Amino acid sequence: MTTDGKLLMQAERSVGIVGYGAYIPRYRLPGTEIARVWAGGGGSPVREKAVAGIDEDVVTMSIEAARNAVNCAGIDPQQIRAVWVGSESHPYAVKPTSTIVAESIGASPNIQAADWEFACKAGTEAVQASIGVVGSGMARYTLSIGMDTAQGRPGDALEYTAGCGGAAFVLGPAEESLAIYQGSYSYVTDTPDFWRRAGQVYPSHGDRFTGEPAYFAHTLAAASTLMEQMGTQASDYDYAVFHQPNVKFPARAAKLLGFTKEQISQGLLADDIGNVYSGSCMLGLTAILDMAEPGARILMASYGSGAGSDTFDMVVSERIKGMPGQRPRTADYIARRTAIDYATYVRFRDKLKD
């Protein structure tokens, strides 16, 4: 507990989302195809998952999402003062993703750039930092990205749900924003539910341990504390979006917090694209913003193994009506699909190791 009893994080100046963009690769691997290879048939936690092409990685996908976000914001990239990319699958161990993205969109060199890591909540970490930087007056605009590629070991339970994709957000002053942050809250503990040591190709996880003491304990604590601090309850929100390792976890968390299926349906994308890790709830938020009306209130809760949850309360502004009409929407990326078989997936994701 802080000395003043306040747990809510709020910037000195009001901050919001000036522009946003999504990116999802076109290739889809059906869950039944994974089950055919590893289980001789049967069901799957998701219908299908998005798979990055042979020439795609976190850098290329982040650039696409960033371009969409900057175009939506309608600003000169040179006005951006920080570019931050959250991911657990950066292509280089020593070389930042953020500098490549910044230069590719024309934002460098007069910026701060950094890569963020915290398993699946690396993207919302970057958002949290952006709120602080913009809210303090250090920068007018920042760019925060959550993006990942599939990391599941062949045959592992994660392989059924580990997808590819993510989202980018340009943050700036409230008076220019499509949606304005009312407050945020973060909750973390040392919970070893999921990890990957240096040099290991695939992550390890604690099987069912990843549910109750990990995902649910942190997500529920973070969301309920945020609402308590904001003086709200589930019925005060029009939409809610949670981290989506599968379809069941966010649906159950929402129900336990008092949210209805209707409140979470627009942002629940896991069945179509799988778990895109650092971009999971951020991508769900883009789907909500694509159709939200002014005055709509949104709760977003991320989750990252290790473990922690970042939660945000935001309200959609009148500026949502002025978004560019000709722009790729999240639903367009989901609809743009090419089915592949398991052998193609193995080739695209370089699953054959010496």
Side-chain angles (χ1 to χ4, degrees), residues 22-25 28 68 328-337:
Y23 182 76
I24 303 167
R28 301 289 190 276
N68 290 337
R329 298 172 185 267
T330 304
D332 298 330
Y333 279 118
I334 293 174
R336 185 200 68 159
R337 60 180 298 280

Side-chain angles (χ1 to χ4, degrees), residues 215 219 223 226-227 233-244 250-251 253-255 257-269 280-289 291-292 296-302 311-314:
Y215 179 92
T219 302
L226 175 72
M227 288 190 285
Q233 54 188 355
S235 59
D236 294 319
Y237 297 90
D238 298 279
Y239 304 98
V241 58
F242 299 87
H243 175 59
Q244 303 165 37
K255 184 177 181 180
L257 288 164
F259 292 96
T260 65
K261 291 181 180 179
E262 290 72 26
Q263 286 172 293
I264 67 169
S265 60
Q266 184 63 30
L268 189 56
L269 312 178
S280 178
C281 63
M282 293 173 69
L283 193 54
L285 178 59
T286 67
I288 290 171
L289 292 175
M291 54 84 67
R297 194 164 188 174
I298 305 167
L299 182 142
M300 182 175 78
S302 67
T311 49
F312 304 85
D313 182 315
M314 62 197 84

